[in-house]
Amino acid sequence: MLKPYAPKVFQLGYVGVDTPDLARALDYYGETVGMTETDRGDGASYLSVGYEHHNIILRQTAAKGLGNIGLQLKPDSDLAALRKEAQNLGLKAEIKTDSQPGIREMLEIEAPGKIAVQLYTDIDTPAPGFKRTGIAPLRLGHVAIISSDAKRLMVFIEDFLGFRFTDTIEGIANFYTCNRDHHVLNIVDAPEDRIHHIAFQLKGNASHAMASDVLRERGVKVEWGPARHTAGHNLAGYHFDPDRVLIELYTDMDVYIPELDMCEARPWHEHFPMRPRNWKLSELSAWGTDFEFNLAQA
């Protein structure tokens, strides 16, 4: 029997990206992706897709890496109670005030794998507007993390944060949602600790061609796709940012119905009902298209 679906958070708010070359990364996320810088300070740049204060944080560091993940809590959440709950699980948890532009109060938890998960109820919404240059995505959709401590991290995601498991690819890539998107977090069980990819949702399927043209104009190679996945069934294309962090551009993701533990039926589904299942590594493309770039090894 399924546990009640009661996630503590309802969306991915931002991803912090550590970069050894802030100016180069800022040019990519600002001009190629089409985000707006809303703040800068202490070696960091804060960029918005169009509404929230920030969806990407770029921080100047010695090496590239995952800085933090921001997840937005339900409005009535009690940070002090959540801190105590996390500490009772043996996790480091601290309430921070005015530690980041746009967010007055947050709970930072060191999740398994030493991942800084920042939980907050409110973020400023200066609404700088959606750019009409660059790729100009609709929203930040999900993030995939490679973790050498993936099993404990997945327990934290399910049992503490309340995410629902929606799919796996041979137990290596594991998909979780906190809303009606097929996945908001993707945990990759491998002996590394880094970002696998950051995903931006495009406005519509035709935007894939326009985005690919933008990437070509900016000298960025499309490595995989656009093609339709199996897990999630999103139309997806992948390329690297300047630090070789994999970026996914996607549309048409499956809509998850938690009450039925299935995704809304679509004509292109291989099975009915489309419930969480174990997909093969050879099934990354629903269309069976072969790509020279090995996405499973990225």
Side-chain angles (χ1 to χ4, degrees):
M1 186 173 179
L2 283 173
K3 295 179 183 178
Y5 187 55
K8 292 182 173 73
V9 302
F10 63 89
Q11 71 174 355
L12 171 66
Y14 58 84
V15 177
V17 181
D18 293 342
T19 174
D21 191 334
L22 180 59
R24 184 180 64 177
L26 183 56
D27 177 70
Y28 165 79
Y29 285 94
E31 301 304 320
T32 302
V33 176
M35 303 182 73
T36 300
E37 186 180 39
T38 58
D39 217 323
R40 190 187 295 202
D42 297 326
S45 172
Y46 298 82
L47 297 108
S48 172
V49 169
Y51 180 64
E52 294 93 353
H53 184 275
H54 54 272
N55 305 108
I56 292 289
I57 304 172
L58 301 174
R59 190 173 299 279
Q60 181 83 43
T61 55
K64 74 173 185 178
L66 173 62
N68 46 45
I69 297 172
L71 298 169
Q72 191 162 7
L73 294 158
K74 294 179 179 179
D76 58 351
S77 299
D78 185 332
L79 293 185
L82 289 174
R83 176 183 61 185
K84 185 176 181 180
E85 185 180 344
Q87 290 172 337
N88 288 341
L89 295 174
L91 301 171
K92 293 180 182 179
E94 179 185 1
I95 293 177
K96 295 185 174 182
T97 304
D98 295 323
S99 63
Q100 189 178 114
I103 299 177
R104 282 168 287 285
E105 189 176 46
M106 68 168 65
L107 173 63
E108 182 173 279
I109 300 173
E110 186 180 289
K114 297 188 181 299
I115 296 170
V117 176
Q118 297 176 338
L119 307 177
Y120 60 94
T121 57
D122 299 292
I123 184 170
D124 290 348
T125 52
F130 293 84
K131 281 190 175 178
R132 300 189 183 278
T133 58
I135 293 166
L138 187 66
R139 61 191 279 258
L140 173 69
H142 61 271
V143 61
I145 302 165
I146 302 177
S147 175
S148 59
D149 201 3
K151 289 179 174 57
R152 287 205 313 132
L153 180 57
M154 289 187 286
V155 170
F156 168 78
I157 289 168
E158 287 193 66
D159 292 352
F160 179 78
L161 293 178
F163 278 65
R164 178 73 62 83
F165 167 81
T166 54
D167 261 322
T168 186
I169 300 176
E170 295 193 10
I172 299 170
N174 303 279
F175 301 84
Y176 292 91
T177 188
C178 62
N179 50 42
R180 292 177 70 86
D181 289 349
H182 174 270
H183 57 279
V184 177
L185 295 178
N186 178 358
I187 306 303
V188 181
D189 189 354
E192 294 184 65
D193 294 284
R194 61 180 175 88
I195 301 170
H196 183 272
H197 68 268
I198 298 169
F200 294 96
Q201 183 179 346
L202 300 177
K203 297 180 183 70
N205 291 347
S207 300
H208 280 288
M210 292 183 282
S212 295
D213 284 339
V214 169
L215 291 172
R216 180 193 62 79
E217 291 165 4
R218 298 280 296 177
V220 179
K221 179 186 175 186
V222 176
E223 302 287 349
W224 191 97
R228 190 180 294 283
H229 279 311
T230 48
H233 292 91
N234 37 311
L235 287 171
Y238 295 83
H239 66 276
F240 284 114
D241 81 356
D243 292 316
R244 290 191 67 78
V245 173
L246 196 62
I247 303 297
E248 177 187 357
L249 305 176
Y250 76 94
T251 56
D252 218 16
M253 180 179 283
D254 278 345
V255 175
Y256 180 66
I257 307 172
E259 294 83 357
L260 300 176
D261 191 32
M262 61 172 280
C263 292
E264 287 186 357
R266 296 290 183 266
W268 45 84
H269 283 172
E270 300 85 348
H271 311 278
F272 296 98
M274 183 53 67
R275 290 200 170 101
R277 58 182 287 110
N278 185 2
W279 300 92
K280 297 177 182 178
L281 279 171
S282 59
E283 295 177 309
L284 291 178
S285 172
W287 297 337
T289 312
D290 290 325
F291 294 97
E292 181 179 348
F293 178 74
N294 190 336
L295 184 60
Q297 297 295 321

